[in-house]
Amino acid sequence: EEMGLAKRMVNDHTSYLRMNHYPPCRSGASEKENADVSGDGERNTAEKTPQEPPPLGISPHRDAGFLTVLLQDDDCHSLQVARFEDEDHRDGDADCWVTVHPVPGALTINTGDMAMIWSNGRFRAPLHRVLTDPSKERYSAPFFYNPGYNELISPLPCCCRDVTSPATMASSATAGEDLNGTSTKDLEPKKYLPCLWGYFRAVRFAGDLTDLGVEIQTSHFKMVVGSGKVEEEKRDKEEKSSSSHVEKQHKFLDCVDFREAFDVEKYRDILQS
């Protein structure tokens, strides 16, 4: 299965290159501070307000696809990655964000949502953002390496174990290591339901750029593994939130033509239902 995926990622992918330009942007607090000067040229420090964090060039988000290969600007270091997950989102705490300083001549690699599902969560899709700079322009060139729209993304067998099969569980206890050198006993049960990339991309696009009011994350396809009462309650909640997307992606696949330019209005009823 892994070899078949590798071939499809060469022959049938939906990748693209984007060029970004972030112009200089001064925060309101900085402008007020610069204007707050007395007639003799001295700053009026008694009335200065604390300087606010720089405005955002791009709000916190995760890349939806498989891999992002990024050429950063060596002169303006504004890309930041979060130390936390969404459920612990402390956006205003600067200590929770780490600046990704570019290495001259090197590329920055970021794993996206589809890599997170394929790897069964072993590769995390990190939350990241871009700050603006008050005096410097920033240029970047991200290449988004994405699967084909018809690709159904599910954890690869080498990244998870099947807890429903007694034979599989018995063999995993004695199998030793997999092809990646990871003990099969250390592999976790499958965490994600199958996700259609074309549907995921369409809903993410609609949520970001239209008024449909929809949102999609990998958490909508996440399974809860466990047998206790708490796990059962969590599983019921997760299945209710994920089932709509799991069902809608099949309806979407039945009527969509990925060879055509995507039209949100054409699929509004499915995406918004």
Side-chain angles (χ1 to χ4, degrees), residues 53-72:
L56 293 177
I58 295 182
S59 298
H61 68 284
R62 287 184 172 89
D63 290 346
F66 175 48
L67 288 179
T68 302
V69 183
L70 175 66
L71 178 63
Q72 290 205 70

Side-chain angles (χ1 to χ4, degrees), residues 40-243:
D40 59 1
E42 295 294 326
R43 295 186 184 276
N44 188 349
T45 56
E47 296 182 4
K48 283 195 300 185
T49 57
Q51 185 170 345
E52 299 175 355
L56 293 177
I58 295 182
S59 298
H61 68 284
R62 287 184 172 89
D63 290 346
F66 175 48
L67 288 179
T68 302
V69 183
L70 175 66
L71 178 63
Q72 290 205 70
D73 192 325
D74 292 340
D75 297 323
C76 186
H77 303 182
S78 300
L79 174 64
Q80 293 189 322
V81 65
R83 293 179 181 270
F84 53 87
E85 299 291 344
D86 279 346
E87 56 268 22
D88 187 27
H89 195 170
R90 294 166 289 180
D91 188 38
D93 191 345
D95 292 337
C96 295
W97 292 92
V98 179
T99 300
V100 182
H101 297 285
V103 176
L107 298 170
T108 301
I109 308 298
N110 184 44
T111 46
D113 287 329
M114 298 304 102
M116 190 169 181
I117 294 180
W118 262 327
S119 68
N120 201 38
R122 292 174 67 180
F123 291 100
R124 178 173 161 240
L127 197 68
H128 55 285
R129 68 182 185 180
V130 176
L131 303 179
T132 56
D133 189 278
S135 59
K136 292 182 180 179
E137 292 182 303
R138 180 178 184 267
Y139 293 90
S140 68
F143 176 75
F144 299 97
Y145 185 32
N146 299 327
Y149 287 131
N150 287 294
E151 190 73 38
L152 197 61
I153 312 298
S154 187
L156 294 170
C158 63
C159 297
C160 60
R161 57 187 172 89
D162 185 2
V163 296
T164 64
S165 171
T168 302
M169 293 180 66
S171 63
S172 66
T174 58
E177 296 184 347
D178 65 9
L179 294 178
N180 297 317
T182 302
S183 172
T184 52
K185 291 188 292 184
D186 295 333
L187 293 177
E188 297 187 71
K190 185 178 293 187
K191 295 180 179 180
Y192 296 94
L193 297 168
C195 170
L196 179 67
W197 164 241
Y199 171 80
F200 192 94
R201 183 70 183 93
V203 179
R204 179 67 66 84
F205 173 87
D208 290 345
L209 302 175
T210 73
D211 62 349
L212 261 65
V214 294
E215 181 184 3
I216 193 166
Q217 302 291 342
T218 54
S219 58
H220 291 124
F221 296 84
K222 195 166 186 179
M223 304 166 63
V224 176
V225 180
S227 58
K229 183 177 180 180
V230 174
E231 284 78 8
E232 289 180 1
E233 292 175 352
K234 287 183 179 179
R235 187 183 301 109
D236 290 341
K237 183 178 179 181
E238 291 290 344
E239 286 178 353
K240 287 179 181 178
S241 64
S242 64
S243 61

Side-chain angles (χ1 to χ4, degrees), residues 3-63:
M3 291 302 296
L5 172 62
K7 290 181 179 179
R8 293 195 300 275
M9 287 297 293
V10 171
N11 300 319
D12 181 24
H13 60 91
T14 56
S15 309
Y16 61 96
L17 175 69
R18 188 171 71 200
M19 306 296 292
N20 295 328
H21 172 234
Y22 304 88
C25 180
R26 299 188 65 83
S27 66
S30 296
E31 292 175 351
K32 183 180 186 303
E33 182 181 34
N34 289 336
D36 193 11
V37 179
S38 62
D40 59 1
E42 295 294 326
R43 295 186 184 276
N44 188 349
T45 56
E47 296 182 4
K48 283 195 300 185
T49 57
Q51 185 170 345
E52 299 175 355
L56 293 177
I58 295 182
S59 298
H61 68 284
R62 287 184 172 89
D63 290 346

